[in-house]
Amino acid sequence: MNWFLGLNWGIQWGTVFTVLGTLTAAFLGQVFSHRYSQKREELKLKKESFQNLYSPVVFKVIKYLELECNKHNHIALTNISELEYDEKNQDNEAFSPSMQFNEFFKTIGSNLKYGSLELIREYQDILSKERLNKAFRGYYGGVYIEKIKFCEVFLTDYINLSKEIGIYSPTIKEPVEGALLFTKLKPLIKKIDEDFSSPFLSDYPRFYKLISNIQKKRNFIKRVANLDQKYSRLKNRKDHKFTYIVNYYLDNKAYKLLKDISSSFVDLKKPRYFFENGDKSLYASWETNVNSLLPFYVYKDMLASIKNYKRVK
């Protein structure tokens, strides 16, 4: 034991600090280098996704929405059935929204590895619905609502990726955000009209050009997203009376949003906003459809409980 006590324990602190400093610098260098490499790799993957999947398809998505708009306005004008229109134009790219959708849907399927998880889920949902249609010979119904949801997810991904890689230009901003607002409003109208008593859902494709040309699109997009979140919070609530009251409140908020959109339409007197025979404007049809959603079904004494809405904010 004497040998241990007799050792010279004079510590060279300068050497210790030098060694510790060197090790710390090396460690931090590795951390930051790894972090930088990871971010660079993530940015590279985002650029690949944008170049291979989203950029080549975005204008085809917008074109599809325009063709659906033209189709439904033509049907409203001529009083032919949707089936007749589809059969007549099934091989005409200039008039067939189905051909346009199938074209970019196939492109997305070939590059699905670059898509977001939500886009992949919506893609599979449409495939499942189409298989059911074939199995039941169309009895299961159309897939327009699913297609609109698919377009909404795609456009949302496109905007987010464009911003993240720094190429979201004003040139693309207007048409993309106009299309996104259009796709977001469809599910909102469906929430208000749960029993499908209004013709609004079937008429909705006609109003693409009106909606995509309004001002302050980003503000409306945020309002729709906010309402979607609040509707979602009601799904798991067990207090049915409370849910009913709050749902009524949200329906009124959604109705007000649609009325605000009505007041935001621009250049309503331009010819493209009217039917060819000039007897009824698209704007008037929009107003009629919006008014058909006005909620009348809650008694006035229930409005006193609307303050409970704060519980889901």
Side-chain angles (χ1 to χ4, degrees):
M1 192 68 181
N2 291 334
W3 65 271
F4 182 78
L5 296 173
L7 290 175
N8 182 9
W9 288 96
I11 298 175
Q12 301 295 324
W13 290 108
T15 303
V16 172
F17 287 134
T18 300
V19 172
L20 288 175
T22 303
L23 292 174
T24 302
F27 172 75
L28 292 176
Q30 285 281 50
V31 169
F32 287 117
S33 175
H34 175 72
R35 193 171 179 182
Y36 175 75
S37 298
Q38 188 177 21
K39 286 187 175 181
R40 185 172 57 186
E41 187 65 25
E42 288 176 357
L43 182 61
K44 179 182 176 183
L45 291 173
K46 289 176 180 178
K47 286 182 176 179
E48 287 179 357
S49 296
F50 186 82
Q51 292 171 356
N52 291 287
L53 175 58
Y54 293 95
S55 181
V57 173
V58 64
F59 283 107
K60 294 180 180 179
V61 171
I62 294 173
K63 181 64 177 178
Y64 160 71
L65 297 174
E66 291 176 350
L67 288 177
E68 284 283 7
C69 173
N70 295 339
K71 167 186 168 180
H72 283 80
N73 276 317
H74 180 79
I75 290 172
L77 179 64
T78 59
N79 291 320
I80 66 170
S81 69
E82 186 172 357
L83 181 61
E84 288 175 315
Y85 182 94
D86 290 339
E87 289 179 348
K88 180 181 178 181
N89 297 288
Q90 60 182 345
D91 298 321
N92 192 333
E93 292 184 3
F95 295 98
S96 175
S98 294
M99 287 187 69
Q100 181 71 18
F101 183 88
N102 291 337
E103 180 185 341
F104 73 73
F105 191 72
K106 184 177 179 180
T107 301
I108 290 174
S110 301
N111 295 279
L112 203 57
K113 64 181 179 179
Y114 296 109
S116 66
L117 291 177
E118 190 174 2
L119 187 71
I120 294 171
R121 183 174 65 247
E122 296 300 330
Y123 178 88
Q124 295 298 335
D125 186 47
I126 290 179
L127 286 182
S128 299
K129 186 74 175 287
E130 289 182 338
R131 290 191 192 104
L132 284 170
N133 271 331
K134 289 180 180 178
F136 292 95
R137 297 181 180 179
Y139 180 78
Y140 192 74
V143 292
Y144 177 71
I145 292 177
E146 287 80 3
K147 287 179 178 179
I148 290 297
K149 179 62 179 176
F150 183 77
C151 293
E152 177 196 343
V153 173
F154 179 89
L155 292 167
T156 301
D157 287 350
Y158 177 89
I159 291 173
N160 291 338
L161 272 176
S162 298
K163 290 179 178 179
E164 288 169 4
I165 63 180
I167 58 171
Y168 191 51
S169 65
T171 305
I172 191 65
K173 174 183 173 181
E174 286 298 313
V176 171
E177 290 188 358
L180 179 61
L181 176 59
F182 176 83
T183 58
K184 279 186 168 295
L185 282 175
K186 175 81 172 184
L188 184 67
I189 295 169
K190 187 179 177 182
K191 287 184 176 73
I192 304 173
D193 186 25
E194 292 180 340
D195 59 355
F196 300 98
S197 59
S198 167
F200 204 171
L201 285 173
S202 58
D203 283 350
Y204 185 71
R206 298 169 49 210
F207 305 112
Y208 172 75
K209 292 178 182 178
L210 275 179
I211 294 170
S212 61
N213 282 282
I214 66 172
Q215 303 298 316
K216 300 180 180 179
K217 287 185 275 287
R218 185 172 297 181
N219 175 54
F220 286 118
I221 289 171
K222 290 180 180 178
R223 287 175 63 182
V224 174
N226 184 261
L227 280 169
D228 281 339
Q229 290 178 355
K230 290 176 179 177
Y231 273 114
S232 297
R233 291 176 194 171
L234 292 178
K235 288 183 179 179
N236 299 322
R237 298 199 66 98
K238 297 179 180 179
D239 185 346
H240 296 297
K241 183 177 179 180
F242 170 76
T243 301
Y244 183 77
I245 294 170
V246 176
N247 196 78
Y248 169 77
Y249 181 85
L250 292 176
D251 284 353
N252 275 277
K253 295 283 283 186
Y255 175 77
K256 184 179 185 307
L257 185 148
L258 294 172
K259 293 294 286 185
D260 289 344
I261 287 176
S262 300
S263 63
S264 298
F265 289 147
V266 295
D267 298 330
L268 296 177
K269 294 183 179 180
K270 288 189 176 180
R272 68 174 179 273
Y273 293 111
F274 288 81
F275 287 128
E276 292 178 7
N277 60 4
D279 62 349
K280 191 177 183 183
S281 70
L282 284 174
Y283 173 73
S285 298
W286 170 271
E287 282 287 281
T288 300
N289 278 287
V290 170
N291 290 334
S292 71
L293 298 174
L294 182 62
F296 286 116
Y297 46 81
V298 175
Y299 297 108
K300 290 183 179 180
D301 59 330
M302 295 182 70
L303 295 178
S305 301
I306 213 68
K307 60 185 179 181
N308 290 328
Y309 173 67
K310 294 178 180 179
R311 289 160 53 190
V312 294
K313 279 189 176 181

